């Protein structure tokens, strides 16, 4: 089992923070939804890049 620093290091591998997007739309609600979708996509790409080598 992992404990202490090992657990924190493992958890931080899966945390993707500070994903910045700039989305504009006709309505603030639509812009927020589009921004969240784009941020989720970018975060997933970042996570996959961490977990899988480019040669895969």
């Amino acid at each position: 089992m992992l404990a202490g620093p090992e657990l924190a290091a493992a958890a931080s591998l899966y945390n993707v923070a500070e994903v910045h997007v700039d989305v504009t739309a006709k309505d603030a609600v639509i812009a927020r939804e589009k921004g969240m979708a784009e941020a989720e996509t970018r975060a997933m790409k970042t996570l996959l890049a961490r977990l899988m080598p480019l040669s895969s």
Side-chain angles (χ1 to χ4, degrees), residues 22-46:
D22 185 15
V23 177
T24 57
K26 191 175 186 180
D27 183 316
V29 174
I30 295 170
R32 180 181 174 272
E33 290 173 356
K34 287 182 177 182
M36 289 298 292
E38 186 175 330
E40 288 173 3
T41 301
R42 286 186 185 184
M44 182 57 75
K45 286 180 180 180
T46 300

Side-chain angles (χ1 to χ4, degrees), residues 2-12:
L2 298 176
E6 295 87 9
L7 181 60
S12 68

Side-chain angles (χ1 to χ4, degrees), residues 2-21:
L2 298 176
E6 295 87 9
L7 181 60
S12 68
L13 176 67
Y14 297 100
N15 291 334
V16 179
E18 297 185 29
V19 177
H20 299 281
V21 296

